[in-house]
């Protein structure tokens, strides 16, 4: 009997499936991404390059530009770029990833154990899964990208059904309300800007 149960677990029982799921790194096809990331990234590059360029040209015009000063001004431009460059958020079926300057971090949204909001100068949404993976990003990204929210919410529902996610109802409910309100506002703006008469005029 014991051997039969052990072979069943090895063949794909609930315990084996859970262990494999936790061990398997989150991945899969990208089904949603931050649509405004490229625009914000370009703006960050422009600002960093412009600051470095202005400082270099000003020093060059004064005749005081040398190697160390050029490196200093270039470093200031790079620092501004690092501050302004946004994180890139992507998601798929069962996962969400956040890529920053130091690399990419991922969580399994269907294995989430904690969702919380970190308040500060910039509010952050913090997600943690059963494998110990953790990501942190601006929740406004979800408001601006309903498809990202859809895949996160799909994973959250699975995590709740499995009994893993027991913390995070308040920030998720607040986000859902904001996203619904934003969607209604956009729909109203679209209807307002539409022409009242869709037909063609007759001569």
């Amino acid at each position: 009997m014991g051997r039969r149960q052990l072979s069943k677990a090895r063949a794909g029982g609930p315990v084996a499936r859970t262990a494999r799921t936790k061990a398997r790194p989150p991945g899969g096809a990208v089904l949603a991404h931050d649509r405004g990331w490229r625009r914000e990234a370009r703006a960050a590059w422009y600002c960093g390059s412009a600051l470095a360029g202005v400082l270099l040209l000003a020093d060059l015009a004064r005749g005081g530009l040398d190697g160390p000063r050029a490196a200093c001004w270039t470093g200031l431009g790079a620092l501004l770029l690092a501050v302004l460059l946004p994180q890139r958020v992507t998601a798929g079926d069962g996962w969400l990833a956040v890529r920053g300057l130091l690399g990419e971090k991922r969580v399994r949204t269907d294995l989430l154990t904690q969702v919380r909001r970190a308040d500060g100068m910039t509010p952050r949404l913090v997600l943690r899964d059963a494998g110990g993976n953790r990501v942190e990003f601006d929740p406004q990204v979800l408001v601006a990208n309903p498809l990202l929210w859809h895949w996160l919410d799909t994973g959250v529902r699975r995590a709740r059904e499995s009994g893993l996610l027991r913390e995070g109802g308040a920030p998720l409910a607040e986000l859902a309300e904001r996203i619904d309100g934003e969607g209604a506002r956009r729909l109203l703006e679209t209807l307002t800007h539409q022409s009242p008469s869709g037909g063609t005029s007759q001569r």
Side-chain angles (χ1 to χ4, degrees):
M1 186 70 177
R3 291 182 180 177
R4 198 174 300 165
Q5 290 178 344
L6 181 59
S7 63
K8 186 181 292 186
R10 287 177 178 171
V15 176
R17 283 199 300 270
T18 303
R20 285 200 303 267
T21 302
K22 289 184 180 181
R24 185 171 61 238
V30 175
L31 301 177
H33 63 275
D34 182 2
R35 295 173 298 177
W37 181 85
R38 291 184 182 276
R39 181 182 67 254
E40 295 178 11
R42 280 197 300 268
W45 277 101
Y46 291 154
C47 289
S49 301
L51 176 62
V54 167
L55 293 174
L56 288 169
L57 288 175
D59 233 5
L60 183 62
R62 293 189 310 167
L65 185 63
D66 55 17
R69 293 177 70 86
C72 179
W73 304 145
T74 303
L76 283 176
L79 180 61
L80 180 62
L81 169 63
V83 171
L84 296 179
L85 189 66
Q87 294 175 311
R88 188 171 192 177
V89 182
T90 55
D93 188 11
W95 63 271
L96 183 140
V98 178
R99 177 177 289 277
L101 289 175
L102 301 180
E104 183 178 88
K105 295 182 180 180
R106 293 187 174 213
V107 292
R108 287 288 301 266
T109 54
D110 53 353
L111 293 177
L112 287 177
T113 57
Q114 183 186 60
V115 177
R116 66 181 180 87
R117 179 187 173 98
D119 291 321
M121 292 185 64
T122 304
R124 314 294 287 175
L125 191 68
V126 182
L127 311 179
R128 190 186 298 273
D129 67 14
N133 302 305
R134 178 180 179 274
V135 297
E136 181 178 329
F137 61 98
D138 186 352
Q140 182 60 33
V141 172
L142 299 175
V143 178
N145 297 272
L147 195 55
L148 276 174
W149 165 251
H150 164 73
W151 287 111
L152 173 59
D153 186 52
T154 300
V156 164
R157 292 175 188 272
R158 294 176 186 168
R160 279 176 173 161
E161 289 171 0
S162 63
L164 286 171
L165 183 60
R166 298 181 180 179
E167 180 183 350
L172 288 172
E174 180 184 346
L175 262 176
E177 185 176 348
R178 285 180 60 191
I179 291 168
D180 289 343
E182 186 70 14
R185 185 185 65 80
R186 289 175 181 170
L187 178 61
L188 183 60
E189 288 180 352
T190 301
L191 294 175
T192 302
H193 287 87
Q194 282 181 350
S195 174
S197 59
T200 57
S201 59
Q202 297 180 354
R203 294 181 179 178

